[in-house]
Amino acid sequence: MARPLTPLGLAVLRLLHDEPMHPYEMQQRIRDQAIDRVVKVAHGSLYHTVERLAGLGLIEPVETTREGRRPERTVYAITEHGRDEANSRLRDFIRRPTREYPVLGMALSFLAMLPPDDAAQLLDRRTVALEAELAAHDIVVDGLTKQGLPRIHLVEVEYFNAQLRSELEYVRALSEDIKSGRLTWRPPGRPNGENNDR
């Protein structure tokens, strides 16, 4: 079978590995366990993923209930085939580096298009945003730890925080190099000697 598992599909199988549940409960757990910090969960994508996994025989409905006038809720469980596929795909994700194309890397490759002062100012703004995001993530990790969530369920957030810290350190240093004159350039289309200040 071709590898059908997206990161969100693997997240669903991981949740169902613990116990059967319906998609609404999966959505809650994804938020509560901060899985949405490392896996993109767009509106409606979880339900689509659940349908797809069921169609592939990786999960199966085990119960359908209805409360009052609410829509039916189907509880799903992982199948043996789903366990095998999840383990196989997880091993692939861990052992094989995948080239990713982060937006910051792309933007830095075109940095010379901007005047240095502008670039430094934008990097400083990014620094503030990264600091805020790190502080928020630290609160999430602290809260989940206090709730008794074992560290094994937090390693993905730890990894994400390590990436944020690394990016923050690099962006700060790059901005400082620009402001101190250790990194200079002249944007295209500007004559020699033209002031880059705005």
Side-chain angles (χ1 to χ4, degrees):
M1 165 169 140
R3 298 286 186 209
L5 287 182
T6 62
L8 181 55
L10 186 58
V12 168
L13 294 179
R14 158 47 196 104
L15 291 170
L16 294 179
H17 182 65
D18 291 343
E19 63 180 301
M21 63 184 78
H22 52 78
Y24 179 77
E25 189 176 358
M26 292 177 210
Q27 202 166 34
Q28 289 296 115
R29 298 246 182 127
I30 284 171
R31 275 196 299 269
D32 294 346
Q33 296 177 16
I35 295 170
D36 57 348
R37 305 261 180 189
V38 293
V39 174
K40 184 176 181 180
V41 186
H43 181 70
S45 61
L46 177 65
Y47 288 89
H48 174 74
T49 298
V50 166
E51 287 175 17
R52 192 165 152 268
L53 293 174
L56 291 167
L58 302 178
I59 63 175
E60 61 187 0
V62 291
E63 178 186 357
T64 301
T65 60
R66 169 173 269 153
E67 293 178 17
R69 298 174 65 172
R70 292 184 176 180
E72 284 186 346
R73 286 194 173 173
T74 302
V75 174
Y76 291 89
I78 190 169
T79 63
E80 281 306 310
H81 180 50
R83 284 183 202 282
D84 292 344
E85 191 60 28
N87 287 334
S88 176
R89 188 63 170 143
L90 177 58
R91 286 182 168 94
D92 285 347
F93 277 134
I94 291 172
R95 90 172 147 245
R96 292 191 182 133
T98 302
R99 182 169 297 275
E100 298 172 3
Y101 298 93
V103 173
L104 178 61
M106 174 275 302
L108 291 177
S109 72
F110 305 129
L111 193 63
M113 293 174 64
L114 298 173
D117 290 346
D118 285 358
Q121 184 180 49
L122 293 168
L123 290 168
D124 288 344
R125 287 183 186 171
R126 187 178 189 95
T127 296
V128 171
L130 288 168
E131 289 169 341
E133 193 169 359
L134 262 170
H137 283 214
D138 286 342
I139 290 169
V140 168
V141 170
D142 187 50
L144 292 172
T145 302
K146 285 179 180 173
Q147 290 175 21
L149 193 66
R151 183 173 176 219
I152 189 61
H153 297 301
L154 295 172
V155 292
E156 72 276 8
V157 182
E158 289 178 2
Y159 170 71
F160 191 69
N161 285 357
Q163 286 184 308
L164 284 176
R165 283 187 177 87
S166 176
E167 181 181 330
L168 177 59
E169 181 180 326
Y170 179 77
V171 168
R172 274 185 184 145
L174 184 60
S175 174
E176 198 51 47
D177 285 347
I178 295 169
K179 290 187 273 191
S180 69
R182 288 187 298 268
L183 175 60
T184 61
W185 68 89
R186 189 175 64 253
R190 288 182 180 256
N192 285 339
E194 180 176 328
N195 189 344
N196 287 331
D197 292 340
R198 287 185 157 185

